[in-house]
Amino acid sequence: MASTSAPAASASAGEAGQASQQPVAIVCVGMAGSGKTTFMQQINAHLHGKKEPPYVINLDPAVLHAPFESNIDIRDSVNYKEVMKQYNLGPNGGILTSLNLFATKIDQVLNLLEKRTAPPEPNDPTKKPINTILVDTPGQIEVFVWSASGTILLESLASSFPTVIAYIIDTPRTSSTSTFMSNMLYACSILYKTKLPMILVFNKADVKDPSFAKEWMTDYDAFQAALQEDENNNAFGGQEGSDGMGTGSGYMGSLLNSMSLVLEEFYAHLNVVGVSSLYGTGIDEFFEAVKEKAEEFKRDYQPELERRRELREENKKKAREKELEKMMKGMNMAAGTTVGDIKDDEEEEPLSPDEDDDEDMDEDDREGLQARYEAAMQAEGNTVPSDASFAKYLHTQGR
C-alpha cells in the first residue's frame, strides 16, 4: 500500500502545481525597425524547441507576411484596407480603428485564452498546458500604447494573467547619449501608462554590443563622460571652439544631464537584457527576466490592479444606487400626482368618495373621529339618522 500511495500523492501535488502556475503574457512593443517581429519569431521558435509551444496573438492588422503562425490574428477579424477605405482613413488611423473594432471582441479572446491555458484533464494526459502567451503589436507603438483599445487589451490581459511588457530597442541606433535618453524616456512613459512590469530588450546585439547601455544605466559617471564626449564632438550642433573642440549645446547637455538624474529611480525597476534576434543569443537570459517579472507582477502589480478593479466596481455600485434613488424619488412624486389615476381594466372598482376619504385618513384621526361619531349618535337631538354611516357623518362635519 505504501508503494502505491506515494506516487498518487506526488501526482496530485504535480497537478496542484500545474493548476497554480499561471501562463505569462509577454506583450512585445517597440518602434518601427527595432526588430520586434524578428524577436517574436525567435522567442516563438525557442519555446517550440523546448517543446513548450506558446499561444500567439497578432495585433498588427497591417502586416503582410508574419514569419510565425498566430493562434489569434486580428487580420482574421478586421480587414485593414477595407477599414481605411470605408472610413476614409490613413495608415495610422486605419490601424487605430482596426484595434478599436477588435477590442470589442476582447471577451471572446479571453474565453479562448482561458480554455487553452486551463490545466489538462486527468483523462487526457497528452494535452500539454500553455505556459506562455506571446502578443505582437503594431510597429506604430503610440497607436497601441496610447489608444483606448490598447488600454482595454492590456488591462483585460492583466486581469487574467501575469503580464509583462517587453520593450524592444534598436541598439545600434541608441549608441549616442541623445537617442539613448529618448528611448529611455519613451520606455518610462510606457511603464507608467501601462502600469505593468517591463523588460528592456536591447536587440541587434550582434551588430552593437549593448554593454554600453547597461553601464550608462548603472553608472552615472559613465553617462556623464559619454555626454561630455558627445558635446566635444559637436554632436548637439554647437559651434567649434578655437581648439578645434565643439562647444556643445548648453541646453541639450543640461537637459540630458537632468534626465539622467531623474531616471535613476526608473532604471532600478527594470530588467535589461541584450539579445540577437538573428542568432538567438540572450534568449535564455530574456526568459529568466520574464520569470522574475512574473513574480514581481504577482507581488507588486496584481494587488494594485485588484484595488483599482474594486474601486471601479465600488464607483459603479454607487452610481447605480444614486440612479436608483433618483428613480425612486421620481416615482414617489409621480405617485402623488398622476400615477394613482392610472387603472387597469381588471383592477377592482374604484372607491366611492366616502370610502376614498376613509382610506386616506391617518390612523389617529380615524380613532378620534370614531369616538366623536359614537358620542354624536348618543346625544339627544342629533340630526344624523341612526342608520347613517360613519362616512356620511364625516361629510356632515365638513371633513
Side-chain angles (χ1 to χ4, degrees):
M1 293 295 292
S3 61
T4 56
S5 60
S10 61
S12 61
E15 290 173 4
Q18 282 184 340
S20 61
Q21 182 182 4
Q22 281 185 295
V24 180
I26 304 173
V27 182
C28 297
V29 299
M31 296 184 183
S34 61
K36 177 174 55 62
T37 302
T38 311
F39 175 75
M40 274 283 298
Q41 179 191 16
Q42 188 61 246
I43 59 176
N44 183 31
H46 177 83
L47 292 172
H48 275 280
K50 295 179 65 177
K51 307 299 182 183
E52 297 178 359
Y55 198 83
V56 182
I57 302 175
N58 174 42
L59 295 180
D60 189 352
V63 65
L64 295 178
H65 304 288
F68 50 85
E69 292 185 1
S70 301
N71 299 93
I72 297 177
D73 198 326
I74 188 175
R75 296 175 297 174
D76 296 334
S77 304
V78 183
N79 190 320
Y80 166 68
K81 291 185 178 179
E82 284 299 320
V83 168
M84 289 177 60
K85 186 185 301 182
Q86 183 174 349
Y87 295 100
N88 195 24
L89 299 170
N92 287 344
I95 293 174
L96 179 60
T97 305
S98 297
L99 282 170
N100 290 339
L101 293 171
F102 186 78
T104 62
K105 305 295 182 182
I106 188 60
D107 55 333
Q108 299 178 18
V109 174
L110 291 178
N111 287 337
L112 287 171
L113 287 174
E114 288 171 359
K115 287 180 182 178
R116 293 298 304 273
T117 58
E121 297 293 334
N123 56 1
D124 187 13
T126 59
K127 181 183 176 183
K128 294 190 66 175
I130 294 173
N131 298 323
T132 310
I133 302 168
L134 301 181
V135 183
D136 191 20
T137 60
Q140 289 78 355
I141 187 172
E142 68 281 354
V143 171
F144 177 77
V145 174
W146 297 99
S147 65
S149 56
T151 302
I152 292 170
L153 292 166
L154 284 176
E155 288 188 352
S156 300
L157 266 179
S159 66
S160 301
F161 309 99
T163 305
V164 177
I165 301 292
Y167 181 56
I168 318 301
I169 298 174
D170 187 345
T171 306
R173 292 164 62 184
T174 316
S175 55
S176 70
T177 54
S178 56
T179 54
F180 170 81
M181 190 56 62
S182 298
N183 259 302
M184 294 302 102
L185 290 173
Y186 213 122
C188 182
S189 67
I190 294 172
L191 176 69
Y192 289 108
K193 176 65 172 64
T194 60
K195 296 181 176 64
L196 293 171
M198 176 183 287
I199 302 172
L200 293 186
V201 181
F202 283 88
N203 197 15
K204 305 181 184 180
D206 53 303
V207 179
K208 175 74 175 178
D209 188 352
S211 58
F212 73 92
K214 296 179 182 179
E215 185 182 15
W216 287 354
M217 295 174 68
T218 54
D219 189 345
Y220 175 77
D221 293 332
F223 181 79
Q224 290 299 308
L227 179 60
Q228 185 62 47
E229 184 179 353
D230 282 348
E231 288 184 334
N232 293 338
N233 292 334
N234 207 20
F236 305 136
Q239 297 178 355
E240 187 174 329
S242 58
D243 56 354
M245 302 293 290
T247 59
S249 170
Y251 170 76
M252 279 298 296
S254 176
L255 176 63
L256 294 176
N257 184 33
S258 300
M259 289 297 101
S260 64
L261 290 172
V262 169
L263 294 179
E264 186 175 358
E265 182 68 21
F266 167 67
Y267 296 152
H269 295 84
L270 295 177
N271 284 52
V272 182
V273 296
V275 302
S276 170
S277 297
L278 183 62
Y279 297 106
T281 56
I283 299 299
D284 288 326
E285 184 184 355
F286 169 74
F287 279 104
E288 288 297 324
V290 168
K291 288 182 182 179
E292 184 178 334
K293 286 300 178 182
E295 293 301 320
E296 182 181 326
F297 176 91
K298 296 174 185 177
R299 183 182 66 248
D300 300 332
Y301 289 79
Q302 198 162 25
E304 174 63 16
L305 289 172
E306 290 175 357
R307 186 192 67 79
R308 287 159 53 194
R309 191 183 306 117
E310 290 173 0
L311 183 61
R312 284 197 300 268
E313 291 298 326
E314 185 178 349
N315 290 338
K316 287 181 182 178
K317 183 179 179 182
K318 288 181 179 179
R320 285 195 298 267
E321 290 176 352
K322 189 175 181 180
E323 290 297 323
L324 181 61
E325 184 180 354
K326 288 172 61 178
M327 184 180 69
M328 294 302 294
K329 286 182 179 179
M331 289 177 65
N332 290 338
M333 292 177 60
T337 54
T338 59
V339 175
D341 299 331
I342 301 174
K343 299 289 181 181
D344 189 76
D345 292 340
E346 296 182 359
E347 289 183 359
E348 54 186 47
E349 292 294 325
L351 299 174
S352 65
D354 296 342
E355 294 170 329
D356 189 37
D357 289 338
D358 192 15
E359 287 291 325
D360 290 339
M361 287 181 193
D362 187 79
E363 192 65 29
D364 294 334
D365 292 342
R366 183 189 300 276
E367 292 177 1
L369 289 172
Q370 183 70 30
R372 287 164 55 192
Y373 168 69
E374 292 175 356
M377 291 297 294
Q378 296 173 359
E380 295 182 359
N382 182 39
T383 58
V384 180
S386 58
D387 59 345
S389 68
F390 180 44
K392 288 183 179 179
Y393 168 73
L394 294 180
H395 284 287
T396 62
Q397 300 300 312
R399 298 290 294 186

